[in-house]
Amino acid sequence: RRLAGLTGPVEAESRRLREREEELLGAYRAIVGARLGGARIRVHGDYHLGQVLYTGNDFIIIDFEGEPARPLSERRLKRSPLSDVAGMLRSFEYAAHTALFGSAERGAIRDEDVPVLLPWARSLSQWVSSAFLRAYLPSIQAAGLVPTDRDQLGTLLRVLLLDKAVYEIGYELNNRPDWARIPIRGILDLLRGGS
């Protein structure tokens, strides 16, 4: 519905995503009726890099009220801990892409260099995400909170990443339309088989 008001890279990427709507819906169908392992618990609900403070010796996580735009009844629902993991992984992607797009907007790099540098931003995000998962998953799996089956874990995490990115598109279109390209690219990467 908002496509007509978009311009530039956001409009082009939005058109590509619209063409893959059925594929996106199919990705969600992967969990319909599936019996996935793990547990549902109270989660942070708005976990991202902005909620993690480094004190010099340790990290402190803040703002446990959940996503402010969601109703309280929804924020109180128990969820897979992977929903917070998806939020952090999306945050890593935002950090890499915001640095790249911000550098172009400030003139630190030429606009025509952005497509050449995009794979590097993706690589950085994927490397940091992999390091995070390698540190996080052994402990959480040992506690029985996430699926132990690798395929179930991958399916659930992929759907939660897509869900987070779809939510981000709505947020960005309402607040910072030019930033919508970040979650749109994230969804397109996930549909291509990225993680």
Side-chain angles (χ1 to χ4, degrees):
R1 288 189 306 255
R2 301 278 303 270
L3 192 57
L6 301 176
T7 60
V10 177
E11 188 243 347
E13 303 251 334
S14 296
R15 288 189 186 284
R16 287 179 44 217
L17 180 57
R18 186 177 69 182
E19 292 167 3
R20 300 187 69 183
E21 180 180 4
E22 281 305 312
E23 192 177 346
L24 175 60
L25 294 173
Y28 279 105
R29 288 185 200 106
I31 63 166
V32 174
R35 301 215 30 99
L36 302 173
R40 286 186 268 173
I41 62 172
R42 298 248 186 259
V43 297
H44 186 284
D46 189 26
Y47 191 53
H48 55 79
L49 287 169
Q51 309 288 31
V52 180
L53 305 176
Y54 181 60
T55 67
N57 297 327
D58 200 0
F59 291 92
I60 298 172
I61 301 170
I62 61 171
D63 293 341
F64 285 86
E65 74 273 3
E67 179 58 54
R70 297 193 190 264
L72 183 59
S73 59
E74 190 176 323
R75 287 185 267 165
R76 294 185 61 193
L77 293 174
K78 291 183 178 182
R79 303 181 186 285
S80 168
L82 290 177
S83 62
D84 278 347
V85 170
M88 186 57 74
L89 298 182
R90 294 287 314 134
S91 185
F92 297 148
E93 186 169 336
Y94 259 80
H97 286 82
T98 300
L100 175 61
F101 297 143
S103 294
E105 289 168 7
R106 288 187 310 277
I109 60 172
R110 299 175 306 174
D111 287 338
E112 59 266 25
D113 291 334
V114 171
V116 175
L117 295 171
L118 267 172
W120 292 100
R122 283 190 195 108
S123 292
L124 174 64
S125 172
Q126 289 173 347
W127 185 89
V128 173
S129 295
S130 293
F132 179 83
L133 289 171
R134 278 193 310 273
Y136 177 84
L137 286 177
S139 297
I140 200 80
Q141 284 176 322
L145 295 175
V146 297
T148 54
D149 179 83
R150 190 174 179 89
D151 290 336
Q152 288 181 9
L153 178 74
T155 298
L156 181 57
L157 184 56
R158 182 173 187 246
V159 168
L160 291 169
L161 284 165
L162 286 169
D163 194 53
K164 182 70 173 163
V166 167
Y167 173 81
E168 291 166 355
I169 289 172
Y171 176 86
E172 298 303 0
L173 288 175
N174 289 328
N175 296 286
R176 308 176 289 202
D178 287 345
W179 286 42
R181 61 186 165 176
I182 297 171
I184 291 169
R185 283 178 188 268
I187 291 172
L188 291 170
D189 284 347
L190 283 163
L191 294 177
R192 273 194 295 272
S195 55

